[in-house]
Amino acid sequence: MDPATPIQEEMMLFHDHALVLLIGIFMFVVILGINLVFNKFSSRTMLEAQQLETIWTIIPALLLIWLALPSLRLLYLLDEQPSDGLVLKSTAHQWYWSYELPFNNSSFDSYMVPLSDLDNGFFRLLEVDNRVTVPFDVNTSIITTSADVLHAFAIPSMGLKMDAVPGRLNSMNMFINFPGVYYGQCSEICGANHSFMPIVVESIFFGGRF
């Protein structure tokens, strides 16, 4: 999916960053292996090589640092919670979601639309009767919990995946770059109808201040 938030953009950049490193290591090992297969020289009399040991210890350490630094940066970005913006509370149930929007004092339940009631052009097993509507280009803190068993609030295009745990609150920030409709699902096996509790967030332009 195309990224809809800065966090998901950073995740995709980190994926590409890590993939470059992995492909480079793979190609190096393949070339080295082919060279060893066709090499006719023998080094059976060489007992130790301190310089070689030092090199193949330092280079992997530097590669791990090159991988770890952007990873740590991304982890800190995921935990960042701005003080301004909106709050959206999401409560998981077997098997639907309840939402509360304090900025307009509204609360509602969101159920999956059955296949028999689905209109043409809508996605099977992903459409709901009540979408969550939030403004784009505004920080939105999503707080999630569960009323019964373990669930998980996940929207891939926004880089969101939070456990919904009974008796606990988890939160993540969402800053949507573009208007549109974004789909997600519960990502924790929560019972017989686990695959029938989708999440739909609609991002639109809101005039005025919150």
Side-chain angles (χ1 to χ4, degrees):
M1 295 183 182
D2 293 333
T5 62
I7 287 295
Q8 182 62 9
E9 290 175 356
E10 291 289 339
M11 287 183 179
M12 295 184 73
L13 286 173
F14 176 69
H15 169 269
D16 296 342
H17 177 87
L19 204 60
V20 168
L21 176 62
L22 294 176
I23 291 174
I25 293 173
F26 176 76
M27 294 302 298
F28 174 74
V29 172
V30 167
I31 293 170
L32 195 62
I34 293 173
N35 190 37
L36 288 173
V37 168
F38 293 100
N39 193 351
K40 297 180 180 179
F41 294 101
S42 173
S43 59
R44 288 179 296 175
T45 58
M46 185 174 69
L47 299 178
E48 63 178 31
Q50 296 294 337
Q51 187 176 5
L52 183 61
E53 292 276 359
T54 303
I55 291 172
W56 72 29
T57 300
I58 291 176
I59 291 179
L62 293 176
L63 292 177
L64 287 175
I65 292 172
W66 186 52
L67 187 65
L69 291 178
S71 175
L72 292 172
R73 176 178 175 273
L74 183 56
L75 285 174
Y76 278 102
L77 287 174
L78 284 170
D79 287 336
E80 188 173 316
Q81 292 290 336
S83 57
D84 60 339
L86 309 179
V87 176
L88 167 66
K89 183 180 179 183
S90 171
T91 305
H93 305 265
Q94 289 182 310
W95 287 274
Y96 65 96
W97 294 91
S98 296
Y99 298 100
E100 297 178 32
L101 297 165
F103 70 91
N104 60 2
N105 295 320
S106 66
S107 61
F108 56 91
D109 297 330
S110 181
Y111 292 87
M112 186 191 76
V113 176
L115 189 60
S116 57
D117 298 335
L118 202 61
D119 295 330
N120 291 332
F122 289 99
F123 294 108
R124 172 180 170 272
L125 302 182
L126 287 177
E127 195 54 59
V128 297
D129 55 358
N130 290 312
R131 294 176 174 177
V132 179
T133 303
V134 296
F136 75 96
D137 212 18
V138 173
N139 284 310
T140 304
S141 293
I142 301 179
I143 301 172
T144 187
T145 187
S146 173
D148 36 56
V149 299
L150 289 176
H151 299 269
F153 187 93
I155 307 176
S157 59
M158 297 184 186
L160 285 176
K161 188 179 186 298
M162 285 185 293
D163 289 336
V165 183
R168 288 189 58 183
L169 296 176
N170 286 327
S171 64
M172 287 185 73
N173 184 60
M174 176 177 68
F175 185 89
I176 306 175
N177 290 329
F178 318 103
V181 180
Y182 304 97
Y183 296 90
Q185 288 177 302
C186 175
S187 296
E188 183 75 32
I189 298 177
C190 57
N193 293 328
H194 158 67
S195 57
F196 303 123
M197 48 183 303
I199 302 162
V200 182
V201 173
E202 185 172 359
S203 175
I204 63 174
F205 174 75
F206 273 32
R209 296 178 60 87
F210 296 95

Short mmCIF file of all heavy atoms in Angstrom, two decimals, residues 143-187:
data_model
loop_
_atom_site.label_atom_id
_atom_site.label_comp_id
_atom_site.label_asym_id
_atom_site.label_seq_id
_atom_site.Cartn_x
_atom_site.Cartn_y
_atom_site.Cartn_z
N ILE A 143 -6.08 6.13 20.97
CA ILE A 143 -5.97 5.37 22.22
C ILE A 143 -6.85 4.14 22.07
O ILE A 143 -8.02 4.24 21.71
CB ILE A 143 -6.42 6.21 23.42
CG1 ILE A 143 -5.57 7.47 23.53
CG2 ILE A 143 -6.34 5.40 24.70
CD1 ILE A 143 -6.07 8.45 24.58
N THR A 144 -6.28 2.98 22.33
CA THR A 144 -7.05 1.75 22.13
C THR A 144 -7.01 0.88 23.37
O THR A 144 -6.02 0.86 24.12
CB THR A 144 -6.54 0.97 20.91
OG1 THR A 144 -7.40 -0.13 20.63
CG2 THR A 144 -5.14 0.44 21.14
N THR A 145 -8.10 0.15 23.57
CA THR A 145 -8.21 -0.82 24.64
C THR A 145 -9.19 -1.90 24.19
O THR A 145 -9.72 -1.84 23.08
CB THR A 145 -8.67 -0.16 25.96
OG1 THR A 145 -8.59 -1.12 27.01
CG2 THR A 145 -10.09 0.36 25.85
N SER A 146 -9.43 -2.86 25.05
CA SER A 146 -10.35 -3.95 24.71
C SER A 146 -11.34 -4.16 25.83
O SER A 146 -11.01 -3.96 27.01
CB SER A 146 -9.56 -5.24 24.45
OG SER A 146 -10.44 -6.33 24.29
N ALA A 147 -12.55 -4.58 25.46
CA ALA A 147 -13.58 -4.84 26.45
C ALA A 147 -13.66 -6.31 26.84
O ALA A 147 -14.38 -6.65 27.79
CB ALA A 147 -14.95 -4.39 25.92
N ASP A 148 -12.93 -7.18 26.13
CA ASP A 148 -13.05 -8.61 26.43
C ASP A 148 -11.71 -9.35 26.33
O ASP A 148 -11.07 -9.62 27.32
CB ASP A 148 -14.11 -9.27 25.54
CG ASP A 148 -14.15 -8.68 24.14
OD1 ASP A 148 -13.10 -8.68 23.47
OD2 ASP A 148 -15.24 -8.23 23.71
N VAL A 149 -11.26 -9.65 25.09
CA VAL A 149 -10.03 -10.41 24.90
C VAL A 149 -9.00 -9.55 24.17
O VAL A 149 -9.25 -8.39 23.87
CB VAL A 149 -10.31 -11.71 24.10
CG1 VAL A 149 -11.29 -12.59 24.84
CG2 VAL A 149 -10.82 -11.40 22.70
N LEU A 150 -7.84 -10.13 23.87
CA LEU A 150 -6.80 -9.40 23.14
C LEU A 150 -7.23 -9.17 21.70
O LEU A 150 -7.66 -10.10 21.00
CB LEU A 150 -5.49 -10.19 23.15
CG LEU A 150 -4.74 -10.27 24.48
CD1 LEU A 150 -3.53 -11.17 24.31
CD2 LEU A 150 -4.30 -8.89 24.94
N HIS A 151 -7.09 -7.93 21.25
CA HIS A 151 -7.30 -7.56 19.86
C HIS A 151 -6.08 -6.74 19.42
O HIS A 151 -5.17 -6.51 20.20
CB HIS A 151 -8.58 -6.72 19.68
CG HIS A 151 -9.83 -7.44 20.09
ND1 HIS A 151 -10.58 -8.18 19.21
CD2 HIS A 151 -10.47 -7.51 21.29
CE1 HIS A 151 -11.63 -8.69 19.85
NE2 HIS A 151 -11.58 -8.29 21.12
N ALA A 152 -6.09 -6.27 18.17
CA ALA A 152 -5.02 -5.38 17.70
C ALA A 152 -5.59 -4.44 16.66
O ALA A 152 -6.25 -4.86 15.70
CB ALA A 152 -3.86 -6.18 17.11
N PHE A 153 -5.34 -3.15 16.84
CA PHE A 153 -5.81 -2.10 15.94
C PHE A 153 -4.71 -1.87 14.90
O PHE A 153 -3.61 -1.42 15.24
CB PHE A 153 -6.08 -0.83 16.74
CG PHE A 153 -6.71 0.28 15.96
CD1 PHE A 153 -8.08 0.43 15.94
CD2 PHE A 153 -5.93 1.19 15.26
CE1 PHE A 153 -8.67 1.47 15.24
CE2 PHE A 153 -6.50 2.23 14.55
CZ PHE A 153 -7.88 2.36 14.53
N ALA A 154 -4.99 -2.17 13.64
CA ALA A 154 -3.95 -2.09 12.61
C ALA A 154 -4.49 -1.48 11.33
O ALA A 154 -5.53 -1.90 10.82
CB ALA A 154 -3.38 -3.48 12.32
N ILE A 155 -3.77 -0.47 10.83
CA ILE A 155 -4.04 0.12 9.51
C ILE A 155 -2.70 0.19 8.78
O ILE A 155 -1.88 1.06 9.05
CB ILE A 155 -4.67 1.53 9.62
CG1 ILE A 155 -5.91 1.50 10.52
CG2 ILE A 155 -5.04 2.06 8.24
CD1 ILE A 155 -6.52 2.86 10.75
N PRO A 156 -2.44 -0.73 7.86
CA PRO A 156 -1.10 -0.84 7.24
C PRO A 156 -0.63 0.43 6.55
O PRO A 156 0.54 0.80 6.67
CB PRO A 156 -1.27 -2.00 6.25
CG PRO A 156 -2.40 -2.81 6.80
CD PRO A 156 -3.32 -1.83 7.43
N SER A 157 -1.50 1.12 5.81
CA SER A 157 -1.05 2.29 5.05
C SER A 157 -0.66 3.46 5.94
O SER A 157 -0.03 4.41 5.49
CB SER A 157 -2.15 2.73 4.08
OG SER A 157 -3.34 3.05 4.77
N MET A 158 -1.04 3.40 7.22
CA MET A 158 -0.68 4.45 8.17
C MET A 158 0.45 4.03 9.11
O MET A 158 0.85 4.79 9.99
CB MET A 158 -1.89 4.86 9.00
CG MET A 158 -3.00 5.47 8.17
SD MET A 158 -4.33 6.04 9.22
CE MET A 158 -5.53 6.53 7.97
N GLY A 159 0.93 2.80 8.97
CA GLY A 159 1.98 2.32 9.86
C GLY A 159 1.50 2.11 11.28
O GLY A 159 2.28 2.20 12.22
N LEU A 160 0.21 1.81 11.44
CA LEU A 160 -0.38 1.63 12.77
C LEU A 160 -0.58 0.15 13.07
O LEU A 160 -1.13 -0.58 12.25
CB LEU A 160 -1.74 2.32 12.86
CG LEU A 160 -1.77 3.84 12.99
CD1 LEU A 160 -3.20 4.34 12.96
CD2 LEU A 160 -1.09 4.29 14.27
N LYS A 161 -0.14 -0.27 14.23
CA LYS A 161 -0.46 -1.61 14.75
C LYS A 161 -0.28 -1.57 16.26
O LYS A 161 0.83 -1.51 16.75
CB LYS A 161 0.40 -2.70 14.13
CG LYS A 161 -0.06 -4.11 14.52
CD LYS A 161 0.79 -5.17 13.89
CE LYS A 161 0.22 -6.55 14.18
NZ LYS A 161 0.21 -6.85 15.63
N MET A 162 -1.41 -1.59 16.98
CA MET A 162 -1.40 -1.50 18.44
C MET A 162 -2.19 -2.64 19.03
O MET A 162 -3.27 -2.98 18.54
CB MET A 162 -2.04 -0.19 18.92
CG MET A 162 -1.23 1.04 18.74
SD MET A 162 -2.09 2.44 19.50
CE MET A 162 -3.51 2.59 18.42
N ASP A 163 -1.67 -3.23 20.09
CA ASP A 163 -2.43 -4.23 20.82
C ASP A 163 -3.54 -3.55 21.61
O ASP A 163 -3.32 -2.51 22.24
CB ASP A 163 -1.52 -5.01 21.78
CG ASP A 163 -0.58 -5.94 21.04
OD1 ASP A 163 -0.91 -6.33 19.91
OD2 ASP A 163 0.48 -6.28 21.60
N ALA A 164 -4.73 -4.14 21.57
CA ALA A 164 -5.85 -3.70 22.40
C ALA A 164 -5.99 -4.70 23.54
O ALA A 164 -6.43 -5.83 23.32
CB ALA A 164 -7.13 -3.62 21.57
N VAL A 165 -5.58 -4.28 24.73
CA VAL A 165 -5.47 -5.18 25.88
C VAL A 165 -6.52 -4.78 26.92
O VAL A 165 -6.63 -3.60 27.26
CB VAL A 165 -4.06 -5.10 26.50
CG1 VAL A 165 -3.92 -6.09 27.65
CG2 VAL A 165 -3.00 -5.37 25.44
N PRO A 166 -7.30 -5.74 27.44
CA PRO A 166 -8.28 -5.40 28.48
C PRO A 166 -7.61 -4.77 29.70
O PRO A 166 -6.60 -5.27 30.20
CB PRO A 166 -8.91 -6.76 28.83
CG PRO A 166 -8.64 -7.63 27.66
CD PRO A 166 -7.35 -7.16 27.07
N GLY A 167 -8.16 -3.65 30.16
CA GLY A 167 -7.63 -2.99 31.35
C GLY A 167 -6.42 -2.12 31.12
O GLY A 167 -5.87 -1.56 32.07
N ARG A 168 -5.97 -2.01 29.85
CA ARG A 168 -4.80 -1.18 29.55
C ARG A 168 -5.11 -0.25 28.38
O ARG A 168 -5.96 -0.55 27.54
CB ARG A 168 -3.59 -2.04 29.18
CG ARG A 168 -2.98 -2.79 30.35
CD ARG A 168 -1.68 -3.44 29.96
NE ARG A 168 -0.71 -2.45 29.47
CZ ARG A 168 0.49 -2.75 29.00
NH1 ARG A 168 0.87 -4.02 28.92
NH2 ARG A 168 1.32 -1.81 28.59
N LEU A 169 -4.38 0.87 28.34
CA LEU A 169 -4.51 1.82 27.23
C LEU A 169 -3.20 1.88 26.46
O LEU A 169 -2.14 2.08 27.06
CB LEU A 169 -4.86 3.22 27.74
CG LEU A 169 -6.22 3.39 28.45
CD1 LEU A 169 -6.35 4.81 28.98
CD2 LEU A 169 -7.36 3.08 27.49
N ASN A 170 -3.26 1.70 25.18
CA ASN A 170 -2.11 1.89 24.30
C ASN A 170 -2.41 3.05 23.36
O ASN A 170 -3.58 3.25 22.97
CB ASN A 170 -1.80 0.62 23.49
CG ASN A 170 -1.17 -0.46 24.35
OD1 ASN A 170 -0.44 -0.17 25.28
ND2 ASN A 170 -1.47 -1.71 24.03
N SER A 171 -1.40 3.79 22.98
CA SER A 171 -1.64 4.95 22.13
C SER A 171 -0.55 5.10 21.09
O SER A 171 0.61 4.73 21.32
CB SER A 171 -1.74 6.24 22.97
OG SER A 171 -0.51 6.52 23.60
N MET A 172 -0.93 5.63 19.94
CA MET A 172 0.00 5.98 18.87
C MET A 172 -0.51 7.24 18.20
O MET A 172 -1.72 7.54 18.24
CB MET A 172 0.12 4.86 17.83
CG MET A 172 0.90 3.64 18.28
SD MET A 172 1.13 2.40 16.97
CE MET A 172 2.37 3.26 15.96
N ASN A 173 0.41 7.96 17.59
CA ASN A 173 0.03 9.17 16.87
C ASN A 173 -0.19 8.87 15.39
O ASN A 173 0.49 8.04 14.80
CB ASN A 173 1.11 10.25 17.02
CG ASN A 173 0.69 11.55 16.38
OD1 ASN A 173 -0.31 12.13 16.74
ND2 ASN A 173 1.45 12.00 15.39
N MET A 174 -1.16 9.57 14.82
CA MET A 174 -1.48 9.41 13.40
C MET A 174 -1.56 10.80 12.76
O MET A 174 -2.29 11.66 13.25
CB MET A 174 -2.81 8.66 13.24
CG MET A 174 -3.30 8.51 11.82
SD MET A 174 -4.84 7.55 11.75
CE MET A 174 -5.99 8.68 12.57
N PHE A 175 -0.78 11.01 11.73
CA PHE A 175 -0.79 12.28 11.00
C PHE A 175 -0.98 11.94 9.52
O PHE A 175 -0.04 11.55 8.84
CB PHE A 175 0.51 13.05 11.23
CG PHE A 175 0.53 14.43 10.63
CD1 PHE A 175 0.09 15.51 11.36
CD2 PHE A 175 0.98 14.62 9.33
CE1 PHE A 175 0.11 16.79 10.80
CE2 PHE A 175 1.00 15.89 8.77
CZ PHE A 175 0.56 16.98 9.51
N ILE A 176 -2.21 12.06 9.05
CA ILE A 176 -2.53 11.63 7.69
C ILE A 176 -2.16 12.74 6.70
O ILE A 176 -2.54 13.90 6.89
CB ILE A 176 -4.03 11.28 7.56
CG1 ILE A 176 -4.40 10.24 8.62
CG2 ILE A 176 -4.35 10.76 6.17
CD1 ILE A 176 -5.88 9.91 8.66
N ASN A 177 -1.44 12.37 5.67
CA ASN A 177 -0.98 13.36 4.69
C ASN A 177 -2.03 13.73 3.66
O ASN A 177 -2.01 14.85 3.13
CB ASN A 177 0.25 12.82 3.94
CG ASN A 177 1.48 12.75 4.82
OD1 ASN A 177 1.64 13.56 5.73
ND2 ASN A 177 2.34 11.78 4.57
N PHE A 178 -2.92 12.79 3.33
CA PHE A 178 -3.83 13.00 2.21
C PHE A 178 -5.26 12.61 2.61
O PHE A 178 -5.45 11.73 3.44
CB PHE A 178 -3.42 12.14 1.00
CG PHE A 178 -1.94 12.10 0.75
CD1 PHE A 178 -1.18 11.01 1.11
CD2 PHE A 178 -1.31 13.18 0.14
CE1 PHE A 178 0.18 10.97 0.90
CE2 PHE A 178 0.05 13.15 -0.08
CZ PHE A 178 0.79 12.06 0.29
N PRO A 179 -6.25 13.26 1.99
CA PRO A 179 -7.63 12.78 2.18
C PRO A 179 -7.82 11.44 1.48
O PRO A 179 -7.16 11.13 0.50
CB PRO A 179 -8.47 13.88 1.52
CG PRO A 179 -7.57 14.53 0.53
CD PRO A 179 -6.18 14.44 1.10
N GLY A 180 -8.72 10.65 2.02
CA GLY A 180 -8.97 9.34 1.41
C GLY A 180 -9.62 8.40 2.41
O GLY A 180 -9.95 8.78 3.54
N VAL A 181 -9.80 7.15 1.99
CA VAL A 181 -10.38 6.11 2.83
C VAL A 181 -9.32 5.03 3.03
O VAL A 181 -8.76 4.51 2.06
CB VAL A 181 -11.65 5.51 2.19
CG1 VAL A 181 -12.23 4.43 3.09
CG2 VAL A 181 -12.69 6.60 1.93
N TYR A 182 -9.06 4.68 4.29
CA TYR A 182 -7.98 3.75 4.62
C TYR A 182 -8.55 2.58 5.41
O TYR A 182 -9.35 2.77 6.33
CB TYR A 182 -6.89 4.48 5.42
CG TYR A 182 -6.36 5.68 4.70
CD1 TYR A 182 -6.84 6.96 4.98
CD2 TYR A 182 -5.41 5.54 3.70
CE1 TYR A 182 -6.37 8.07 4.30
CE2 TYR A 182 -4.92 6.65 3.02
CZ TYR A 182 -5.42 7.91 3.31
OH TYR A 182 -4.94 9.00 2.62
N TYR A 183 -8.12 1.39 5.03
CA TYR A 183 -8.70 0.16 5.58
C TYR A 183 -7.68 -0.58 6.44
O TYR A 183 -6.48 -0.60 6.16
CB TYR A 183 -9.16 -0.76 4.44
CG TYR A 183 -10.29 -0.19 3.62
CD1 TYR A 183 -10.02 0.59 2.49
CD2 TYR A 183 -11.62 -0.42 3.96
CE1 TYR A 183 -11.06 1.12 1.74
CE2 TYR A 183 -12.65 0.11 3.21
CZ TYR A 183 -12.37 0.87 2.09
OH TYR A 183 -13.38 1.40 1.34
N GLY A 184 -8.20 -1.20 7.48
CA GLY A 184 -7.39 -2.06 8.34
C GLY A 184 -8.25 -3.16 8.93
O GLY A 184 -9.44 -3.26 8.64
N GLN A 185 -7.65 -3.98 9.76
CA GLN A 185 -8.37 -5.08 10.39
C GLN A 185 -7.77 -5.36 11.76
O GLN A 185 -6.67 -4.90 12.07
CB GLN A 185 -8.27 -6.35 9.53
CG GLN A 185 -9.08 -6.31 8.25
CD GLN A 185 -8.89 -7.56 7.43
OE1 GLN A 185 -7.78 -7.89 7.05
NE2 GLN A 185 -9.97 -8.27 7.16
N CYS A 186 -8.48 -6.14 12.55
CA CYS A 186 -7.91 -6.66 13.79
C CYS A 186 -6.78 -7.61 13.42
O CYS A 186 -6.95 -8.48 12.58
CB CYS A 186 -8.98 -7.37 14.60
SG CYS A 186 -8.34 -8.18 16.08
N SER A 187 -5.62 -7.43 14.05
CA SER A 187 -4.44 -8.23 13.71
C SER A 187 -4.01 -9.16 14.84
O SER A 187 -2.86 -9.55 14.92
CB SER A 187 -3.28 -7.31 13.33
OG SER A 187 -3.59 -6.58 12.18
#
